[in-house]
Amino acid sequence: MSGVHATARIVARADGRGGTSLPVLESDGPLALRRTRASSGGEARVVLVGAMSGPLGGDRFAVETVVDSGARLRVGSAAATIALPGQTKDEARYDVRIDVADSGELHWLPEPLISARGSDLHVTTRADLAPGARLVLREEQVLGRVGEEPGRFTSRLVVRVGGRAVLDQELACGPGAPGGWDGPAVLGGNRAVGQLVLVRPEFGERPVSARILGEGAALMPLAGPAALVTAVAPDGLRLRRLLDEALDAVNWAD
């Protein structure tokens, strides 16, 4: 097995003065973490900057994030991640591990992941939250660059609250994926797909109501204090618009 192996780590901790410190901010290889200006509400902000192309075939990337009690963290990325074919036929893997403690809050808002022709990428995101934690997690996948067929892409998203799974879903698209991924029951010919996971303690007492949120997007409650928005669109720009509008709709209703 060849390829680049890299793991970046973030730890966010309440600083005792109403803000959030970052005692651990470890970059590794192509995964460069940069702290940006904190918000006025005491939220720390980190941007993931890709220092090289990839992931390529055979690469193994991972980002581990821990948010301690009382800390608030927002993580984004400087640009889209593009999965590219490598010199080997091995699949590339990108693993995201998130842990949020009671009264901790994380906004995980990376830019889209683009599956280029000939690539083979498996993404796994696992989020473990305490019962009093808060999370806004956005995932966006674009199948192929403009005018290009997609590569093989598999995504698994697992969210647990208090040790209980509230979401465990997997999506496989592109060459070699199970039949029907491009049919009306899944993407319906669209080339961008995304999801927004919202975890808030108040959802345990007042679950959101399932409803359609514009063409291509739907909101549904999950077991426990969580909700899920799923969306499909012809391109990444319209997908982002759908997810932003969905988040605004949930915040307004709340």
Side-chain angles (χ1 to χ4, degrees):
M1 183 181 298
S2 59
V4 176
H5 291 217
T7 300
R9 296 180 176 86
I10 308 169
V11 175
R13 187 168 296 157
D15 64 8
R17 302 186 302 275
T20 299
S21 65
L22 298 172
V24 177
L25 194 64
E26 296 180 357
S27 301
D28 187 14
L31 301 175
L33 298 170
R34 300 288 183 264
R35 179 167 188 166
T36 61
R37 181 175 297 178
S39 73
S40 58
E43 173 189 75
R45 298 187 175 186
V46 173
V47 173
L48 178 63
V49 181
M52 58 183 284
S53 297
L56 308 177
D59 288 351
R60 300 289 186 270
F61 292 174
V63 181
E64 300 174 356
T65 301
V66 176
V67 180
D68 287 344
S69 180
R72 298 181 63 216
L73 176 66
R74 180 180 296 260
V75 178
S77 56
T81 298
I82 304 178
L84 297 167
Q87 295 182 348
T88 75
K89 293 189 179 297
D90 294 332
E91 72 172 8
R93 297 192 65 91
Y94 202 129
D95 296 320
V96 176
R97 177 63 188 267
I98 292 168
D99 289 278
V100 186
D102 264 318
S103 74
E105 181 172 346
L106 173 64
H107 288 233
W108 184 265
L109 303 170
E111 293 303 304
L113 191 152
I114 301 172
S115 174
R117 182 177 181 177
S119 64
D120 186 358
L121 177 64
H122 194 291
V123 177
T124 301
T125 302
R126 298 181 184 274
D128 286 281
L129 289 83
R134 292 176 174 270
L135 174 69
V136 177
L137 184 150
R138 183 183 69 212
E139 287 191 340
E140 298 169 313
Q141 295 94 28
V142 179
L143 305 179
R145 292 169 289 195
V146 176
E148 177 185 67
E149 290 299 310
R152 171 73 181 268
F153 176 79
T154 304
S155 172
R156 186 178 180 193
L157 174 59
V158 180
V159 179
R160 296 186 177 90
V161 179
R164 178 187 179 190
V166 299
L167 178 67
D168 189 340
Q169 69 175 24
E170 184 170 290
L171 174 67
C173 303
W181 64 270
D182 199 24
V186 187
L187 295 186
N190 288 286
R191 282 295 178 267
V193 58
Q195 41 276 331
L196 191 66
V197 180
L198 306 170
V199 179
R200 300 175 181 174
E202 55 267 28
F203 286 169
E205 304 250 338
R206 302 189 310 276
V208 300
S209 300
R211 60 187 185 273
I212 301 298
L213 297 172
E215 185 176 357
L219 169 67
M220 64 192 74
L222 298 175
L228 173 68
V229 175
T230 57
V232 294
D235 55 56
L237 182 62
R238 277 178 273 190
L239 176 68
R240 173 65 61 84
R241 187 179 301 127
L242 279 172
L243 293 177
D244 285 348
E245 290 173 354
L247 182 57
D248 287 343
V250 174
N251 288 339
W252 180 261
D254 189 42

